Amino acid sequence: MALKRKDLLGIRGLSRDEIDEILNTAELMKYILIQDHKRTPHLQGRSIVTLFYENSTRTRLSFELASKYMSASMANVTAGSSSVAKGECLIDTGKTIESMGVDVVVIRHPVSGAPHILAKHVTASVINAGDGINEHPTQALLDMFTIRQKKGTINNLVVAIIGDILHSRVARSNIWGLTTMGAEVRVAGPATLMPPDIEDMGVKVFYNVDEALKGADVVMGLRLQKERQMKGLLPSIREYTRLYCINKERMLLARKDALIMHPGPINRGVEISSDIAEGEQSTINEQVTNGVAVRMALLYLLTRRNKDAVY
Amino acid sequence: MLCIKNGIVVDGINPEPYKADILVDGKEIIEIASEISTVADVTIDAAGKCVLPGFVDAHCHLREPGYEYKEDIGSGTRSAAAGGFTSIACMPNTHPAVDNAALVNFIKMRALEERAAKVYPIAAVTKGLKGEELTEMWELKKAGAVALSDDGKPIMNAGIMRLALQYARGFDMLIISHCEDLQLTGDGVMNEGYMSTVLGVKGITRAAEEVMVARDIILAETLKTPVHIAHVSTRGSVELIRQAKKRGVKVTCETAPHYFSAADEWVDGYDADTKVNPPLRTADDVEAIIEGLKDGTIDIIATDHAPHHRDEKEVEYSLAASGISGFETAFSLAYTHLVEPGVISLHQLVEKMSTRPADILNIDGGRLQVGKTADITVVDPAKEYTVDVSQFHSKGKNSPFHGRTLKGKVVHTIVDGRVVMENEKILV
Ligand SMILES: [Zn+2]
């Protein structure tokens, strides 16, 4: 038993053992998901709240189902981005939720570091479901889980992450996780969407996507937010697509059995072509299933910590 | 009469400290001698301590009028006195902004009611700090403004900045420039670099500061007029100023204690008390700032004391207010990071915290000399202590140095011959 944390705020700082334990537990949880009777008592009597300051149907639903499959009481709070701007105090909101007897708060927030601030001020466990451009740890865990299930191991695999690295919390969490697990991580994208000094995080930087794809075992696309073009970071979506879209032709450069991953939702034909997204190598739908298993594992492991502390 | 006995005097003139007593009558220093036998009404024993000219701060924010929930002239001057500052120059970015003579007079009047430190108003360069139209600089000077600045905001329009430097020259008014290109800052909230990448926080490129430092140097150089660069924080800025000084440009500059005591790694954990503008830079910049202080490129240390309310800091990092409550740690940080490791002498620190700031602002103070005003700060260089923001006299408890152990502490502060702090206790 390695995971003894109160919170899961990011992949940064997680040890190999901790990641292994989460992924191993997720294997067990995945069995529950393929049963007809999807109900276990793991979280009986536990109370979980999702606190979302940004819309995300899929992540919120994934947490909700994970909680319900394990018999927890759960509620969703949708605060919306406007309440951040209005200055409603995050700490006050957190304390109010906690006062209602909540064991785990799952937070999504447009500001990097918001879950860290919340975690400092509440005794409940906090799970980061995406903070600003910082991290999205449960996404990275489900990605790593998917890779491990498909490839048997993460160690020594070549993983190419393609697209808007600068604004991607998925990329950042995956970089921390995959490098910890022994993969060679390559990042590729336009220079205006590449964070400074990212090499020092242990990745190889490519501005030419073809170079990055050569011999890759896993190719991970990222969602391109259309507003990046409006901010002047890209001259046009058209040029982006011509240079960086993951398509059939480019995929010939990767290994034949390479996985194609994407956190969704997809901009078809922008960062990834439709045929590739739906092709045999794509794990996109399986990633969604695995997301529930990984979140079940995390909720179980974090609340078990609480139990240990109480008894 | 007041006599400060047995202290080591660092007077701001002689590079060598010497043991002497100082006798004060009324507001004036009347004798400095190795042993004064005159019986004074009040005697302060400064054995084992250093007696310095009171510190002069060329850059602070007192928040009155308009933001009294952050700080007011009462709490701000008590905080200054606790930090050993006897004269402070406050920035005009209040609400309303100090861009007219009436407001300059208001601040002077309020400062006379609160007598813990002498307050010198800095007035705005442009009306409403909007960067568009020049203020009535002559009237502001007549009312008592000691310098002009739109601090908090840059003057983005180079044409307006040039006109301001030109017009102010006619009245010998110094312009203090907050160097920041807002287009380059964008929505950044910490230094751009490896740490911003690691923490997933939008970065502010050092270029945002440096292109404006370069611009203002060039404007001052072509006009042959002085300019003062506020809160220098990067290696590039130090180098630009070093080269400009070599060419004879009349540029002076300041840095703040946090730029030689803290770096962007401190942002890890997202504690908004580390949020300040310009942002905490890298360890390499810290090194360059220290070199600049050592070789004289950086003329003075100013606090940029920027108190904020707890509620503005205990929030998400990018939503938090920028600034550090700086009066009460300034000397200790400078002593710990500059004097103790032998980078500069205590005499040189006095030059940077008392003598030069007084000269740059052209105000009284900065030297201990017979006939001069008795603005005196007594420090205990041996005292180690742990910073505790709950003990701050400032309303602003926003300091990233909370919990840090520092060496060197201010123990007594004397303003115009009055003891305003004795044994670390504020008396006013
Ligand atoms: Zn400023």
Side-chain angles (χ1 to χ4, degrees):
Chain A
M1 174 185 146
L3 197 73
K4 285 181 178 166
R5 299 167 179 265
K6 172 169 101 68
D7 313 296
L8 182 78
L9 301 175
I11 303 292
R12 177 178 174 228
L14 284 190
S15 68
R16 210 170 170 142
D17 283 351
E18 285 175 300
I19 294 172
D20 268 331
E21 190 189 22
I22 297 166
L23 302 187
N24 292 343
T25 311
E27 303 263 6
L28 304 175
M29 295 301 174
K30 201 172 173 184
Y31 283 117
I32 298 167
L33 284 180
I34 55 174
Q35 308 297 318
D36 286 339
H37 182 81
K38 298 182 185 58
R39 202 149 192 93
T40 76
H42 286 92
L43 296 184
Q44 190 103 51
R46 294 287 169 185
S47 170
I48 292 157
V49 161
T50 64
L51 174 59
F52 272 44
Y53 288 86
E54 273 181 352
N55 288 329
S56 166
T57 313
R58 65 169 66 203
T59 306
R60 197 187 49 68
L61 185 61
S62 183
F63 272 108
E64 180 167 355
L65 291 176
S67 309
K68 288 185 171 164
Y69 292 156
M70 293 193 294
S71 312
S73 309
M74 87 92 50
N76 296 307
V77 180
T78 309
S81 303
S82 62
S83 56
V84 178
K86 274 184 223 147
E88 283 172 22
C89 180
L90 171 66
I91 296 165
D92 288 349
T93 306
K95 284 186 171 162
T96 305
I97 291 172
E98 180 172 60
S99 303
M100 297 183 195
V102 170
D103 300 294
V104 182
V105 181
V106 178
I107 180 174
R108 157 142 326 175
H109 200 288
V111 176
S112 302
H116 305 67
I117 310 255
L118 178 67
K120 244 183 259 174
H121 287 89
V122 297
T123 53
S125 290
V126 173
I127 295 178
N128 180 0
D131 64 321
I133 59 168
N134 180 34
E135 282 221 42
H136 191 354
T138 58
Q139 178 71 43
L141 287 166
L142 77 87
D143 290 342
M144 288 190 279
F145 181 76
T146 306
I147 295 171
R148 208 179 72 162
Q149 281 218 317
K150 292 279 180 191
K151 296 280 180 194
T153 177
I154 297 170
N155 199 30
N156 289 328
L157 292 184
V158 175
V159 182
I161 307 176
I162 314 293
D164 179 359
I165 310 294
L166 177 63
H167 298 94
S168 176
R169 49 196 177 205
V170 175
R172 210 170 253 97
S173 283
N174 266 306
I175 290 168
W176 292 122
L178 291 167
T179 51
T180 301
M181 300 310 282
E184 176 190 325
V185 179
R186 302 170 177 177
V187 294
T192 46
L193 298 177
M194 197 62 76
D197 299 333
I198 193 165
E199 305 82 3
D200 296 345
M201 280 173 71
V203 302
K204 289 186 184 157
V205 177
F206 295 81
Y207 299 113
N208 180 331
V209 73
D210 294 355
E211 294 290 320
L213 290 177
K214 265 179 206 157
D217 297 288
V218 178
V219 177
M220 201 179 280
L222 301 170
R223 185 175 167 78
L224 183 78
Q225 306 281 348
K226 298 264 170 75
E227 78 240 27
R228 304 297 170 225
Q229 187 204 342
M230 308 209 293
K231 279 192 155 180
L233 292 164
L234 294 172
S236 68
I237 298 295
R238 179 173 167 270
E239 178 148 305
Y240 176 85
T241 299
R242 291 182 68 175
L243 286 172
Y244 295 103
C245 183
I246 302 163
N247 56 29
K248 205 171 228 167
E249 200 185 10
R250 289 207 165 103
M251 278 310 294
L252 295 175
L253 296 163
R255 284 175 62 104
K256 261 203 192 108
D257 58 349
L259 305 179
I260 294 171
M261 307 181 77
H262 192 291
I266 296 171
N267 290 310
R268 282 168 194 278
V270 177
E271 68 259 1
I272 190 165
S273 65
S274 285
D275 52 343
I276 284 290
E278 281 149 23
E280 268 185 11
Q281 289 164 272
S282 169
T283 62
I284 294 172
N285 289 326
E286 198 164 345
Q287 282 171 266
V288 177
T289 311
N290 291 343
V292 180
V294 159
R295 286 169 182 124
M296 287 169 79
L298 261 180
L299 288 169
Y300 168 64
L301 291 171
L302 290 177
T303 51
R304 188 191 56 178
R305 177 206 67 92
N306 283 354
K307 209 175 245 168
D308 290 346
V310 174
Y311 295 110
Chain B
M1 281 199 284
L2 163 72
C3 193
I4 303 162
K5 293 188 83 76
N6 308 318
I8 305 293
V9 176
V10 182
D11 60 16
I13 305 155
N14 295 299
E16 288 308 314
Y18 51 93
K19 196 161 174 292
D21 298 349
I22 295 180
L23 189 64
V24 174
D25 189 18
K27 291 184 173 188
E28 204 179 297
I29 296 173
I30 57 167
E31 194 181 352
I32 302 178
S34 62
E35 198 141 333
I36 293 174
S37 50
T38 313
V39 180
D41 313 297
V42 181
T43 303
I44 289 178
D45 181 17
K49 316 257 183 345
C50 297
V51 184
L52 322 176
F55 303 138
V56 177
D57 191 12
H59 188 148
C60 69
H61 300 269
L62 296 180
R63 307 298 190 202
E64 185 176 346
Y67 303 111
E68 287 84 351
Y69 69 96
K70 295 176 195 260
E71 188 85 292
D72 59 41
I73 291 172
S75 61
T77 49
R78 284 192 295 280
S79 175
F85 292 89
T86 53
S87 293
I88 56 178
C90 58
M91 286 296 173
N93 61 339
T94 47
H95 187 73
V98 182
D99 62 359
N100 60 67
L103 278 167
V104 172
N105 281 316
F106 167 81
I107 289 173
K108 282 169 56 191
M109 185 198 76
R110 282 284 295 120
L112 289 178
E113 294 167 15
E114 312 280 357
R115 298 158 68 239
K118 290 182 276 194
V119 176
Y120 293 91
I122 295 170
V125 178
T126 65
K127 288 175 189 155
L129 307 173
K130 288 198 180 112
E132 291 163 4
E133 288 174 81
L134 301 188
T135 52
E136 294 161 330
M137 297 180 182
W138 173 74
E139 263 195 34
L140 290 166
K141 174 157 188 171
K142 228 174 44 149
V146 293
L148 299 166
S149 181
D150 276 5
D151 184 60
K153 290 181 184 171
I155 296 169
M156 281 295 287
N157 183 326
I160 299 292
M161 184 63 178
R162 184 168 188 275
L163 286 175
L165 288 165
Q166 262 182 314
Y167 190 73
R169 176 170 59 182
F171 321 109
D172 279 329
M173 281 293 261
L174 181 67
I175 291 185
I176 301 173
S177 179
H178 167 117
C179 289
E180 177 184 11
D181 184 316
L182 295 176
Q183 310 291 344
L184 288 173
T185 298
D187 50 5
V189 291
M190 70 174 288
N191 182 57
E192 182 182 273
Y194 177 63
M195 280 314 291
S196 66
T197 294
V198 163
L199 297 174
V201 169
K202 288 278 179 71
I204 304 172
T205 166
R206 57 193 56 250
E209 174 174 324
E210 291 164 8
V211 296
M212 290 299 251
V213 170
R215 181 198 78 172
D216 289 347
I217 285 172
I218 291 165
L219 291 175
E221 186 169 19
T222 51
L223 290 167
K224 298 186 177 64
T225 197
V227 68
H228 180 82
I229 310 292
H231 41 58
V232 168
S233 74
T234 72
R235 177 176 287 278
S237 297
V238 174
E239 189 51 33
L240 283 164
I241 294 163
R242 184 177 286 131
Q243 295 307 324
K245 284 186 165 186
K246 275 189 194 150
R247 295 199 302 277
V249 183
K250 293 180 199 161
V251 56
T252 53
C253 73
E254 70 194 34
T255 191
H258 38 272
Y259 299 119
F260 57 74
S261 315
D264 58 355
E265 283 118 51
W266 290 38
V267 181
D268 201 352
Y270 306 94
D271 179 357
D273 284 341
T274 61
K275 189 176 171 188
V276 61
N277 189 20
L280 298 179
R281 304 289 186 181
T282 64
D284 178 65
D285 294 294
V286 169
E287 197 179 286
I289 295 292
I290 290 174
E291 284 162 19
L293 284 162
K294 191 176 172 156
D295 73 8
T297 301
I298 300 176
D299 300 86
I300 63 171
I301 295 167
T303 63
D304 197 3
H305 175 74
H308 289 292
H309 194 271
R310 265 288 114 214
D311 292 352
E312 295 167 306
K313 282 290 193 181
E314 275 189 351
V315 294
E316 299 87 321
Y317 202 82
S318 69
L319 305 178
S322 289
I324 291 172
S325 182
F327 280 144
E328 291 168 70
T329 51
F331 171 74
S332 302
L333 288 170
Y335 194 84
T336 305
H337 294 281
L338 303 175
V339 180
E340 179 75 4
V343 176
I344 59 173
S345 66
L346 187 55
H347 166 72
Q348 287 169 311
L349 181 62
V350 164
E351 285 186 320
K352 292 192 190 298
M353 290 186 70
S354 307
T355 321
R356 287 282 290 148
D359 292 351
I360 286 172
L361 294 174
N362 197 19
I363 61 175
D364 189 25
R367 289 171 184 83
L368 297 177
Q369 219 174 356
V370 171
K372 284 262 181 192
T373 305
D375 291 341
I376 304 170
T377 293
V378 181
V379 301
D380 182 348
K383 181 159 180 174
E384 282 193 46
Y385 72 104
T386 301
V387 177
D388 177 0
V389 294
S390 72
Q391 302 299 307
F392 277 9
H393 292 270
S394 170
K395 290 183 191 176
K397 313 297 182 196
N398 47 306
S399 170
F401 302 106
H402 178 69
R404 304 264 165 174
T405 299
L406 300 178
K407 192 167 183 194
K409 195 158 200 315
V410 178
V411 285
H412 313 293
T413 308
I414 294 148
V415 177
D416 280 342
R418 286 176 299 114
V419 181
V420 296
M421 181 168 79
E422 189 174 12
N423 288 318
E424 303 179 34
K425 268 214 169 68
I426 294 287
L427 306 176
V428 289

